[in-house]
Amino acid sequence: MLREGPAAWINSSYPRKLEELVPDIITIKLGTNDSKMKHWENNKDKFERDLKTFIAEFRQINPKVKIYLCLPVPAFDLRTKELSTGDGISGTRILNEIIPIIQQVARDEGLPIIDLQTPLATHIEYFSDGVHPNEAGLAAIAQLIYEQIRLGAE
């Protein structure tokens, strides 16, 4: 989510692809890589601003776009079977620092949230390396997103 750093999503080809597609529905599931201490330590004060900027940019592409903010999936330490901590991707930083910011932005912007954290918090088996979802994890994420979008459409 953060706009600064070598792996910033905004610098990839995906934003331009979205501009071409002009989507009616967008789900934003970012923040996991931002939990790395090297990104978070000096940029955490920019996360809220960058997320709000991101939302505004999507609204410029399509003012009627329905945006869902997804709470990031948990990140586990496979050795301890607990949320990961430390300088790398941090499950505790995601839970305690990043998710509250996403929830606040959702309130500020009037956006629905899709909680991917809570339902997957007890499913370490869905993550091949503790961070990246395997096939079962991707299916669970897709189902959760589908259900929330379907509920929003009713």
Side-chain angles (χ1 to χ4, degrees):
M1 182 71 262
L2 290 168
R3 290 180 167 288
E4 296 180 21
W9 191 86
I10 196 69
N11 296 328
S12 72
S13 63
Y14 293 109
R16 285 169 290 293
K17 289 179 184 177
L18 286 173
E19 287 177 19
E20 294 170 12
L21 293 173
V22 189
D24 295 320
I25 298 174
I26 293 176
T27 58
I28 300 174
K29 186 197 137 326
L30 296 170
T32 301
N33 286 327
D34 299 316
S35 74
K36 293 178 183 177
M37 185 55 77
K38 66 182 180 181
H39 301 308
W40 193 247
E41 187 173 40
N42 296 318
N43 296 299
K44 64 183 169 184
D45 59 322
K46 299 172 188 158
F47 189 88
E48 181 177 345
R49 178 203 66 198
D50 288 355
L51 180 53
K52 286 182 175 182
T53 299
F54 202 54
I55 291 165
E57 290 170 348
F58 284 128
R59 286 179 170 154
Q60 285 180 336
I61 295 168
N62 177 1
K64 295 181 180 182
V65 67
K66 179 73 173 180
I67 299 172
Y68 293 82
L69 295 184
C70 298
L71 301 184
V73 299
F76 298 100
D77 180 328
L78 294 179
R79 294 168 302 184
T80 65
K81 309 281 193 240
E82 300 291 331
L83 289 178
S84 58
T85 60
D87 291 344
I89 290 177
S90 172
T92 56
R93 199 169 295 116
I94 290 168
L95 184 63
N96 298 325
E97 296 183 57
I98 293 174
I99 285 177
I101 295 171
I102 294 170
Q103 291 170 323
Q104 183 60 53
V105 169
R107 284 189 294 275
D108 292 349
E109 298 290 327
L111 299 176
I113 290 175
I114 299 175
D115 184 358
L116 301 178
Q117 175 77 205
T118 307
L120 300 179
T122 57
H123 291 284
I124 194 170
E125 74 275 10
Y126 287 170
F127 299 88
S128 57
D129 59 0
V131 175
H132 298 94
N134 57 26
E135 199 169 310
L138 292 171
I141 291 167
Q143 184 65 35
L144 289 164
I145 291 172
Y146 166 76
E147 289 170 2
Q148 288 300 307
I149 291 174
R150 196 181 100 225
L151 285 173
E154 293 177 353

